[in-house]
Amino acid sequence: MASAVETAPVPGTPQLQQHFDALLAAGEQIEPRDWMPDGYRRMLVRQIAQHAHSEIIGMQPEGSWIARAPSLHRKASLLAKVQDEAGHGLYLYSAAETLGVRRDELLDALHRGQQNYAATFNHSALTWADTGAIAWLTDGAAVVNQVPLCQTSYGPYARAMRRVCQEEAFHVRQGYDVLWSLCRGARRPSRRWRRTR
């Protein structure tokens, strides 16, 4: 009977690729210490970095409304949402770091324009209603797009996404509640609640 040392894949041989392919075919997840092809690693770094950047940039339009929200309840819920979005970025930067890149390298690449974030966050939240629309519609679309990532082949990314999706689903309910309140005839926002360009 062959020993485990004799049957284990030897670095630099096609056996590593075969073992990697077999894990994926079996629905297993790849972990940071597992061998992975360079193209797979590069794709993961690019995708996770863009996702992390989007979470950090995405909290900014709503974050500008924390001090101007129409009630203490709305301030607290918006503050919690913005804090969650910052946390999502941190979970994802941590997942990217398991691939051998540093967080500061990813941020430098973003600042140099070598990496990007979702363009939807280039639009300002000009009114209080915009914060509700962002949470209900943008976060709702994110949940639909991101739930499949909870089963992605890279373990740290999949685990981060399970928590992100749970929190994003809560944000969708928050946004719906803001818009439903406005639709039922909540008093018209005063000038104090309107943002000027």
Side-chain angles (χ1 to χ4, degrees):
M1 184 166 150
S3 70
V5 173
E6 293 170 336
T7 59
V10 178
T13 68
Q15 288 178 319
L16 287 170
Q17 181 69 50
Q18 291 170 357
H19 179 69
F20 175 83
D21 293 342
L23 284 174
L24 293 183
E28 299 290 328
Q29 289 185 323
I30 305 302
E31 295 298 336
R33 292 185 179 181
D34 293 336
W35 180 88
M36 63 188 77
D38 288 339
Y40 178 83
R41 182 183 303 273
R42 282 193 307 273
M43 180 273 304
L44 280 171
V45 169
R46 184 177 62 88
Q47 180 173 341
I48 297 172
Q50 179 174 357
H51 196 161
H53 300 328
S54 296
E55 296 287 350
I56 298 298
I57 299 296
M59 70 186 191
Q60 295 177 23
E62 294 169 290
S64 67
W65 278 94
I66 292 171
R68 295 174 291 148
S71 68
L72 183 58
H73 167 74
R74 295 295 186 197
K75 287 180 197 306
S77 62
L78 185 58
L79 181 62
K81 180 185 187 301
V82 170
Q83 181 179 339
D84 284 349
E85 301 293 1
H88 299 170
L90 295 178
Y91 307 150
L92 294 166
Y93 285 129
S94 294
E97 286 175 320
T98 66
L99 293 161
V101 295
R102 294 192 328 267
R103 193 173 306 191
D104 62 322
E105 293 174 324
L106 298 176
L107 292 170
D108 286 345
L110 173 66
H111 296 153
R112 288 191 308 268
Q114 295 172 328
Q115 291 179 347
N116 213 334
Y117 56 88
T120 190
F121 299 120
N122 289 329
H123 303 284
S124 300
L126 299 177
T127 68
W128 171 247
D130 290 336
T131 66
I134 289 169
W136 185 35
L137 301 174
T138 304
D139 291 350
V143 170
V144 170
N145 286 327
Q146 294 172 4
V147 163
L149 292 173
C150 295
Q151 303 301 320
T152 193
S153 62
Y154 188 59
Y157 192 21
R159 289 187 290 275
M161 289 312 304
R162 289 183 197 121
R163 182 159 181 181
V164 168
C165 287
Q166 288 174 344
E167 292 175 357
E168 293 290 4
F170 183 69
H171 300 164
V172 172
R173 290 193 297 274
Q174 284 178 301
Y176 178 86
D177 183 58
V178 167
L179 292 179
W180 180 242
S181 174
L182 291 171
C183 289
R184 285 184 310 184
R187 65 188 180 94
R188 186 175 176 181
S190 69
R191 289 170 55 110
R192 180 175 68 87
W193 295 353
R194 291 195 206 113
R195 182 176 179 186
T196 58
R197 284 184 187 253

